[in-house]
């Protein structure tokens, strides 16, 4: 099978898991999204060797590396909110910019601090 | 027919902007910022309504679903690392979500946004479908939330690498976590550019941020509105 064809079939295969996730979320009234449930299902199937990595790897790496393309239509949707953006656009931008920078910096620093502390502890035990 | 043209047009503009970005390597030229600008100008220029454009655009947006499922692959490959650092990941992500919700509320107060907008901004750092669900839950406007989510993604994608550099974040796991926490799927795609371990950490961060926000947002909202 050619590579392109394998990518397409694997993408469709992954899509089936998203649909299955959507279906289960509706059926069981779960608060998460269908695609996240689908992720956990695939992860479980890989873990229990029901699914081989090679059956999904090509499609998954194609989808995740071209993911920005799939965000573009929702970004274009902003043009529908002209009046809100003219009125409050700069306020929105200030809040989003400052909060995103803060969140990223705090998360990164907390994680790095904890990782290094763990590494130091292990080092001490080793000595 | 117009739907099909819109899909092709979006892919073409994306492909060109990606090429330009690769050549120039300038953060503000990210395809997620440039391509929507070009497409919006085109739509306004030739008088196509967004609703018509979205008949095609929807097909591309839908592929986000299998893409999220696809993050199972990096997570599976790095499951041992993720297990080893499970506690650290849990602490970092809980802190991240807490800060994200509180700080969005505080800054909204500071710039005098009304409560409707404030509530819609609170879940902005997580993946769209769950952000919209949280928005409904806490009394925000889900369509505005979806816009804030995408702007957050663009912001995080552009500023993430600069934050990593200026804060001297060198641990791969920490880089991935901050990108997935701060900018959901968009940040995760950036993390994959750094490397597959960063990508795995970001995938996990994206998923955990969404789940933790579902729990934290309704609890923290009354505090923010005080």
């Amino acid at each position: 099978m050619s590579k392109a064809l394998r990518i397409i079939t694997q993408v469709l295969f992954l899509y089936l898991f998203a649909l299955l996730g959507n279906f289960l979320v509706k059926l069981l009234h779960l608060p998460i999204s269908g695609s996240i449930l689908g992720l956990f299902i695939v992860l479980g199937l890989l873990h229990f060797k029901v699914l081989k990595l090679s059956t999904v790897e090509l499609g998954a790496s194609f989808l995740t590396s071209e993911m920005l393309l799939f965000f573009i239509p929702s970004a274009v949707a902003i043009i529908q909110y002209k009046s809100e953006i003219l009125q409050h656009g700069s306020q929105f931008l200030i809040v989003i910019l400052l909060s995103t920078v803060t969140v990223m910096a705090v998360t990164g620093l907390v994680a790095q601090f904890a990782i290094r502390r763990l590494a130091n502890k292990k080092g001490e035990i080793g000595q | 027919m117009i739907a099909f043209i819109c899909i092709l047009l979006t892919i073409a503009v994306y492909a060109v902007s990606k090429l330009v970005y690769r050549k120039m390597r300038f953060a503000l030229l990210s395809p997620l910022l440039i391509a929507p600008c070009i497409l919006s100008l085109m739509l306004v220029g030739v008088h196509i309504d967004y609703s018509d454009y979205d008949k095609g655009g929807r097909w591309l947006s839908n592929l986000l679903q299998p893409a999220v499922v696809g993050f199972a692959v990096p997570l599976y490959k790095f499951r041992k690392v993720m297990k080893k650092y499970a506690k650290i990941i849990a602490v970092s992500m809980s802190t991240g979500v807490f800060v994200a919700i509180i700080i969005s509320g505080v800054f909204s107060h500071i710039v005098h946004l009304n409560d409707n907008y404030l509530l819609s901004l609170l879940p902005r750092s997580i993946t769209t479908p769950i952000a919209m669900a949280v928005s409904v839950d806490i009394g925000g406007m889900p369509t505005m939330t979806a816009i804030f989510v995408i702007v957050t993604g663009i912001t995080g994608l552009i500023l993430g690498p600069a934050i990593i550099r200026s804060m001297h974040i060198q641990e791969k796991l920490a880089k991935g976590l901050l990108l997935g926490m701060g900018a959901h799927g968009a940040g995760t795609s950036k993390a994959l550019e750094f490397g597959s371990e960063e990508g795995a950490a970001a995938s996990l961060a994206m998923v955990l941020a969404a789940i933790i926000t579902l729990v934290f947002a309704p609890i923290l909202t009354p505090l923010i509105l005080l």
Side-chain angles (χ1 to χ4, degrees), chain A residues 27-82:
Chain A
L27 188 74
L28 306 170
H29 300 287
L30 299 172
I32 59 169
S33 68
S35 41
I36 288 189
L37 185 60
L39 183 159
F40 281 117
I41 296 174
V42 172
L43 197 57
L45 293 177
L46 286 170
H47 180 76
F48 292 110
K49 315 270 180 226
V50 182
L51 218 60
K52 272 196 288 184
L53 194 55
S54 59
T55 22
V56 287
E57 197 175 8
L58 261 182
S61 77
F62 169 78
L63 284 170
T64 48
S65 60
E66 302 299 341
M67 196 166 177
L68 292 188
L69 171 64
F70 316 136
F71 279 114
I72 290 175
S74 1
V76 177
I78 298 176
I79 56 173
Q80 294 177 106
Y81 297 89
K82 234 185 269 159

Side-chain angles (χ1 to χ4, degrees), chain A residues 98-120:
Chain A
L98 294 179
S99 322
T100 303
V101 170
T102 315
V103 169
M104 285 184 150
V106 170
T107 309
L109 289 173
V110 168
Q112 177 150 290
F113 174 77
I115 295 165
R116 293 196 167 160
R117 211 184 54 165
L118 184 77
N120 281 339

Side-chain angles (χ1 to χ4, degrees), chain B residues 39-61:
Chain B
L39 286 163
S40 305
L41 287 175
M42 283 176 161
L43 293 185
V44 173
V46 294
H47 303 288
I48 294 178
D49 268 348
Y50 178 76
S51 56
D52 287 324
Y53 167 78
D54 195 49
K55 283 182 187 129
R58 193 173 298 161
W59 285 83
L60 291 172
S61 306

Side-chain angles (χ1 to χ4, degrees), chain A residues 15 22 39 43 49 57 64 66 70 73 77 80-81 84 88 91 97 99-100 103-104 107 111-112 116, chain B residues 14 18 39 50 57 60 65-66 68 71-72 76-77 92 100 111 117 124 143 159 168-171 178 181:
Chain A
Y15 204 41
N22 289 338
L39 183 159
L43 197 57
K49 315 270 180 226
E57 197 175 8
T64 48
E66 302 299 341
F70 316 136
Q80 294 177 106
Y81 297 89
E84 283 91 341
H88 298 293
Q91 287 158 293
L97 266 164
S99 322
T100 303
V103 169
M104 285 184 150
T107 309
Q112 177 150 290
R116 293 196 167 160
Chain B
Y14 165 74
K18 196 172 162 180
L39 286 163
Y50 178 76
L60 291 172
Q65 296 189 50
V68 169
F71 283 118
Y76 175 72
K77 283 187 178 164
S92 316
V111 299
Y117 290 127
R124 64 173 178 83
T143 45
L159 296 180
H168 304 291
I169 307 291
Q170 283 139 356
E171 304 290 339
L178 83 84
M181 173 65 236

Side-chain angles (χ1 to χ4, degrees), chain B residues 104-124:
Chain B
S104 305
V106 170
F107 284 130
S108 300
H109 273 308
I110 292 175
V111 299
H112 302 293
L113 279 170
N114 68 36
D115 284 353
N116 284 330
Y117 290 127
L118 179 148
L119 291 170
S120 313
L121 275 161
L122 296 188
R124 64 173 178 83

